[in-house]
Amino acid sequence: MSTTTGTEHGEHEAQLVNLAAFQDPETLLRLGERSRAAAQETENGVADMFTGTVRLDKVDEAADAGTFEQLDDDERAALGLRPIIPETFLDAGVWRQRRAVWLNSAAFHTTRSPVYLWRFITTSALGARVGVRDAWSYLFATEYGELADKVRRKKAGAEHIADLRADRRKEAKSRRREPVTVYALTGCTSYAAALIALGQTWGLVLAFPALIPMFGLLYALGYRELGRRAPDAEFTFFDNAAEADHDGPVTDERITNALRNIKLMTAEQEIRPVGLATRDELGNTTVAFKTPAGLVCKAIKAKAEPFAGALGLSLERIDLTQGETPNDVILWVSAKVPFSEEGPASPLVDAEQWSIWDGVPFGSNRKGIRKVLQLLWSSMLFGGAQGYGKTSAMRVPAAAGALDPMCRMLLADFKGGADWEELEEIAHRVIIGADPASVDEFIELVDELIEEMDTRFAKIRRMPKAERPDMRLTPAMAEAHGMPVLMFLIDEIQEAFGVVLARKDGLKEFGALVEKLARLIRRGRACGLIIVAAAQRPSAKSVPTDFRDVILKRYSVHTVDDTSSDMILGDGQAKRGHTAAGLGRIGVGILAEEAGSEKLQVDMITPQEFEGICARGRALRIAAGTLTGYAASGLLTVSGILAQIRQAFEITGAEELGSADIARVLHKQDPAAGWGQRDGESDKAWSSRIGARLGREIDEALDGSGRTLDRVKVTTLAGTEGRGFRRTDLTLVLGA
């Protein structure tokens, strides 16, 4: 595009050409930046949307004539010093890695100092010999002698040899008279004289630093001679710490050498670091880099073991993660072999109180990242060989539940040992041993929990929708409606299954029990029921898949083979690289969750520490009035009305008794106690009177214990519906 302007006489004065149309975008951008910078340097600037300046109409009246720029928040922040400093100078992790590299390099070169000294001496000696040779050749023109030898061999004539000898003497004499030669010889003699004088005056120790320039010159001459002798060879004075030291920090150079050694990169290729390597407080290093074209992160992962070996590390000490693109690789390197030391103490050991709603701090992975389990919505199964920490691992969620006074603990220990005797001090129900009576009590407890679960869901359904948005128990609902979290610990559950299977109709009873447990796990998690079970080797016979498959979290310690590991963690886990076979270390296992599986080291809780935790849990429950059942039986003397009601159940053998049924039994036992129907008293009035008396005396007996025994709808001995009590409710209250 071009235009012209005209004068008043109609002549063309000039032609305007739009040069911007002929420029590339990059050039236009650069010109625009320059123009804006120039505009901002003028007296008032230009008020437009590009420069962001404001021109004052009355510049002379301004306090400071000049350009006033409108700065946004980012520009204001840039005026400080901190945004000017690169982030790498402020990153503590980067400085930790820098220090590690420097210290390792210093230590490496210190140990190699004798080698470096020998190289220096030999190279300097070569330089001295070459220097003397070259100086002699120059001062005495020895090249003429070589020409004379060539002439002699060709038999060109004695006169030519004589001429060459004369020329040599003439040239040598001329060279020795040159100013450069004179200055050099004068400097050398002066330097030697100064050294002698310094040594005689101050001693050889102080004279030695003065020799450094001479040795430096000799080394330079020797280095030059080595280059002349082998032009294609590389001579380095200092060895490469990254190549020679596999115990040092991982750097980009060391990674490049490792990839070359396993033939994933050629000698000409190298990686390109992305940012700087960082090191965390534990000494673990993270290095991000880009690989050359044709090499992707997936290919390095496929050869992870050779790659780790080339780095001088074990496979479990590295972790490879793909970055934004297939060529972006993030390498994590552990400072030490993961899980080579004892696990850290659990934070529950020193916690005064815990809320099960906050999850269970369970352990740490190989990167030192802590794992917190949320067991409220998924039960858990523990398995593995004896003696590898299965019970210790199971103790961690038990400790979290023990420290929550609003969590009601239920225990079924079919091992029958003393592993859980501390928990008996706070447990609402306790079943010890795998005898038939204990297994029957376990089955009854399962039925009671199913009834409790159905009761809770009925309560939740009756709540306003604002209180139960997703039909799940919440802390507020649990407190307001008396529905504490129930944690049911079952140790060696296969022992109970074995007892059931050995019965006459064991197979049918076994199937029913498994179905009830699976139902509890599937539905109970929404109303606050947690089942934590353990089994050594849960095979399809000892612990059926219908039970295992509904448990979402599983943890396995050492097993003898992949098959045993898959029985605990789930089918196919070993093929995906997650197996507990051959772990061989106490306290280390594989955790399988919905999101994936990984190796963990469980937090340490010793039996003595667990005893202290249970003692704190008991004190918390007594203070909160939530110590109930078995654990509370030692606090309550079973006497008075409660003992009489329990005796009524024993006499009748019934599971449910109406208030009138109890009153009749008590009247027979003691007619003078006033439980009988008075003369002229109607059945309704008598029932109301003895019902009120039962409630009043029960409340007095339970006063201060934190427990209640309410009248509920029951089937009386006469077969009609009425208000009364259940044997199971009384047992829960009394704990026996």
Side-chain angles (χ1 to χ4, degrees):
M1 173 183 177
S2 64
T3 59
T4 59
T5 59
T7 64
E8 60 182 356
H9 302 291
E11 297 177 353
H12 294 299
E13 185 181 54
Q15 185 176 15
L16 301 178
V17 180
N18 184 13
L19 296 178
F22 300 94
Q23 301 294 333
D24 59 274
E26 184 177 353
T27 303
L28 288 175
L29 181 61
R30 188 168 59 253
L31 291 174
E33 292 176 351
R34 291 180 179 177
S35 64
R36 288 192 292 274
Q40 291 175 349
E41 292 176 357
T42 60
E43 182 179 8
N44 296 321
V46 179
D48 60 21
M49 63 185 297
F50 296 104
T51 62
T53 62
V54 178
R55 186 177 62 194
L56 300 178
D57 293 333
K58 298 179 180 179
V59 179
D60 295 338
E61 297 179 5
D64 295 318
T67 302
F68 293 83
E69 296 190 11
Q70 297 172 335
L71 302 177
D72 57 21
D73 294 339
D74 293 338
E75 289 173 326
R76 291 192 189 98
L79 293 177
L81 182 61
R82 188 177 182 87
I84 299 175
I85 302 175
E87 292 185 3
T88 56
F89 284 88
L90 304 174
D91 193 317
V94 171
W95 277 108
R96 279 192 289 266
Q97 175 68 1
R98 283 193 183 113
R99 286 194 296 269
V101 173
W102 293 339
L103 292 174
N104 178 74
S105 180
F108 173 80
H109 291 306
T110 300
T111 58
R112 300 283 295 171
S113 56
V115 177
Y116 300 152
L117 179 61
W118 177 250
R119 288 177 184 172
F120 182 80
I121 292 173
T122 54
T123 305
S124 299
L126 177 62
R129 184 164 61 86
V130 170
V132 172
R133 181 198 64 189
D134 292 346
W136 182 271
S137 177
Y138 179 78
L139 293 176
F140 294 93
T142 56
E143 67 270 19
Y144 285 88
E146 295 174 358
L147 289 175
D149 290 339
K150 290 180 181 179
V151 171
R152 186 181 298 107
R153 283 194 296 270
K154 291 183 178 181
K155 299 179 181 180
E159 64 278 8
H160 294 290
I161 296 175
D163 291 340
L164 287 172
R165 288 176 177 173
D167 292 339
R168 175 183 178 180
R169 288 192 296 269
K170 182 179 179 180
E171 179 64 21
K173 187 176 182 179
S174 174
R175 290 180 180 179
R176 289 192 291 271
R177 291 180 177 178
E178 289 178 351
V180 175
T181 305
V182 175
Y183 295 154
L185 292 174
T186 303
C188 290
T189 54
S190 300
Y191 181 70
L195 284 176
I196 294 172
L198 186 62
Q200 290 180 347
T201 304
W202 299 100
L204 295 177
V205 176
L206 293 178
F208 180 77
L211 293 171
I212 293 177
M214 182 186 72
F215 283 116
L217 176 62
L218 295 179
Y219 178 82
L221 293 174
Y223 184 83
R224 185 187 65 175
E225 180 64 17
L226 290 173
R228 288 177 180 176
R229 294 180 178 181
D232 298 330
E234 292 186 4
F235 174 77
T236 56
F237 183 78
F238 294 104
D239 293 329
N240 193 327
E243 292 181 355
D245 188 6
H246 281 175
D247 294 328
V250 175
T251 60
D252 54 309
E253 187 175 7
R254 186 172 167 187
I255 296 172
T256 298
N257 294 333
L259 292 173
R260 289 172 180 172
N261 290 337
I262 62 175
K263 310 302 181 185
L264 286 180
M265 286 194 332
T266 64
E268 294 76 21
Q269 291 178 318
E270 59 183 16
I271 64 170
R272 181 160 58 88
V274 178
L276 296 177
T278 59
R279 180 177 293 249
D280 61 21
E281 294 83 353
L282 300 176
N284 305 321
T285 305
T286 302
V287 183
F289 59 91
K290 279 186 175 293
T291 57
L295 177 61
V296 295
C297 180
K298 188 176 181 180
I300 303 178
K301 283 185 175 181
K303 299 186 72 174
E305 190 166 1
F307 176 60
L311 288 173
L313 305 169
S314 59
L315 179 60
E316 60 183 356
R317 286 187 61 184
I318 71 167
D319 181 71
L320 292 162
T321 307
Q322 179 177 312
E324 184 177 353
T325 69
N327 291 97
D328 291 324
V329 182
I330 301 173
L331 171 65
W332 175 87
V333 181
S334 175
K336 57 186 177 183
V337 178
F339 314 128
S340 58
E341 300 177 354
E342 288 189 358
S346 172
L348 299 172
V349 172
D350 298 322
E352 292 298 325
Q353 187 171 341
W354 198 266
S355 174
I356 198 68
W357 296 93
D358 295 334
V360 178
F362 187 67
S364 305
N365 62 13
R366 61 177 180 160
K367 294 185 178 181
I369 300 174
R370 299 196 62 81
K371 185 71 177 180
V372 178
L373 302 180
Q374 184 53 265
L375 295 183
L376 272 168
W377 317 125
S378 59
S379 295
M380 192 166 185
L381 176 65
F382 292 81
Q386 285 183 335
Y388 285 93
K390 181 172 75 272
T391 302
S392 298
M394 191 178 177
R395 199 178 282 141
V396 176
L403 288 174
D404 187 346
M406 300 302 162
C407 178
R408 182 171 292 177
M409 307 294 293
L410 311 170
L411 172 64
D413 180 12
F414 295 111
K415 188 188 302 182
D419 291 336
W420 299 103
E421 63 180 354
E422 299 88 358
L423 195 64
E424 296 178 26
E425 296 296 319
I426 59 173
H428 181 78
R429 290 289 295 273
V430 175
I431 301 171
I432 304 294
D435 56 278
S438 297
V439 174
D440 288 339
E441 188 179 355
F442 172 69
I443 296 173
E444 292 176 5
L445 179 55
V446 171
D447 291 335
E448 293 170 13
L449 289 175
I450 290 177
E451 184 178 350
E452 174 69 16
M453 177 182 69
D454 293 337
T455 302
R456 289 190 175 195
F457 277 123
K459 286 184 179 180
I460 294 174
R461 282 192 298 270
R462 290 194 297 268
M463 295 178 191
K465 287 188 177 181
E467 294 184 26
R468 40 119 180 148
D470 56 357
M471 283 296 291
R472 281 188 173 188
L473 187 68
T474 64
M477 292 164 57
E479 184 177 357
H481 299 277
M483 293 186 289
V485 173
L486 302 174
M487 180 179 287
F488 190 11
L489 285 95
I490 313 172
D491 199 3
E492 304 296 356
I493 191 173
Q494 78 279 352
E495 298 295 332
F497 289 151
V499 171
V500 174
L501 285 169
R503 294 176 177 175
K504 184 177 180 181
D505 295 329
L507 192 60
K508 181 179 179 181
E509 190 177 358
F510 173 69
L513 177 59
V514 170
E515 162 56 23
K516 290 176 182 178
L517 287 170
R519 181 182 172 191
L520 275 178
I521 295 171
R522 283 194 305 267
R523 299 184 60 225
R525 59 197 183 100
C527 65
L529 175 62
I530 303 170
I531 290 183
V532 180
Q536 284 187 27
R537 189 177 185 270
S539 63
K541 293 183 179 179
S542 63
V543 182
T545 55
D546 290 344
F547 172 75
R548 286 180 283 146
D549 288 348
V550 295
I551 298 178
L552 302 181
K553 286 182 171 57
R554 308 178 186 184
Y555 181 80
S556 176
V557 296
H558 168 83
T559 60
V560 295
D561 52 30
D562 289 343
T563 303
S564 299
S565 177
D566 280 355
M567 287 179 182
I568 303 166
L569 300 176
D571 295 337
Q573 287 286 350
K575 292 182 179 178
R576 291 190 286 271
H578 307 295
T579 177
L583 286 178
R585 180 167 177 80
I586 298 175
V588 177
I590 305 295
L591 175 68
E593 295 184 282
E594 309 91 303
S597 304
E598 62 179 332
K599 185 186 292 187
L600 289 180
Q601 186 171 31
V602 179
D603 291 341
M604 289 288 295
I605 299 180
T606 65
Q608 295 76 16
E609 292 169 342
F610 187 65
E611 183 178 5
I613 289 172
C614 291
R616 292 200 299 275
R618 181 179 178 87
L620 289 170
R621 283 165 172 78
I622 293 174
T626 56
L627 189 70
T628 58
Y630 182 91
S633 60
L635 299 180
L636 177 68
T637 300
V638 184
S639 60
I641 189 62
L642 297 174
Q644 296 176 46
I645 294 174
R646 185 169 67 175
Q647 187 177 15
F649 276 106
E650 293 174 355
I651 292 172
T652 60
E655 295 298 320
E656 295 180 352
L657 288 175
S659 298
D661 297 332
I662 295 173
R664 291 189 184 97
V665 174
L666 297 181
H667 178 68
K668 288 182 180 180
Q669 296 293 320
D670 185 5
W675 291 103
Q677 191 170 1
R678 298 170 183 172
D679 295 338
E681 189 177 26
S682 65
D683 292 342
K684 184 176 181 181
W686 174 64
S687 177
S688 176
R689 178 173 62 82
I690 58 101
R693 180 180 174 183
L694 281 172
R696 182 174 62 255
E697 293 191 15
I698 289 173
D699 290 341
E700 291 175 357
L702 296 177
D703 185 33
S705 66
R707 289 162 288 170
T708 59
L709 180 63
D710 299 326
R711 291 197 302 166
V712 295
K713 284 186 178 181
V714 298
T715 301
T716 66
L717 293 177
T720 60
E721 286 190 354
R723 304 285 292 178
F725 303 92
R726 299 191 187 99
R727 182 194 293 266
T728 54
D729 294 341
L730 180 64
T731 302
L732 288 174
V733 170
L734 298 179

